[in-house]
Amino acid sequence: MTTYLRNSLTYVWAFLVAISIASWWVGRGQVDNFQVNGIITTTVFLIAAIKARLVIRHFMEVQHGPQWLKLTCDAWLAFVFLWMFGFYWASL
């Protein structure tokens, strides 16, 4: 049991659970009044980007890979989220 508590993946997993709950808590405000809120959606997008980076780095073992792989994954993630973010704000 103590080996799980000493593993860094346990802390990353706990943080992912915490920010998933935070994302749900922030996003649930949109359901009450059925209106699009750019600030709430932007916050949820940023939380999703953080979660994606943590999953790529820690659970897909990119953290131990070469530097070019880390940079490629970060560039791809930035491109995808900026693309989605741009389309979202363009549609408002």
Side-chain angles (χ1 to χ4, degrees):
M1 180 68 174
T2 58
T3 57
Y4 290 120
L5 294 176
R6 292 186 181 144
N7 193 348
S8 66
L9 286 179
T10 304
Y11 295 115
V12 172
W13 174 81
F15 183 69
L16 286 169
V17 169
I19 62 176
S20 293
I21 293 170
S23 177
W24 167 80
W25 185 76
V26 168
R28 74 183 173 96
Q30 288 184 321
V31 176
D32 296 339
N33 56 8
F34 296 106
Q35 294 178 352
V36 175
N37 187 334
I39 301 299
I40 291 174
T41 305
T42 301
T43 304
V44 171
F45 269 150
L46 291 176
I47 291 172
I50 292 168
K51 288 170 57 175
R53 187 170 192 272
L54 286 172
V55 168
I56 289 171
R57 284 287 174 120
H58 294 282
F59 292 97
M60 295 175 70
E61 299 289 333
V62 172
Q63 181 179 8
H64 302 294
Q67 188 66 25
W68 66 266
L69 182 61
K70 295 176 191 177
L71 292 175
T72 302
C73 289
D74 286 343
W76 175 80
L77 190 62
F79 171 76
V80 167
F81 277 95
L82 288 174
W83 182 66
M84 286 180 7
F85 187 71
F87 274 117
Y88 171 74
W89 280 99
S91 70
L92 289 181

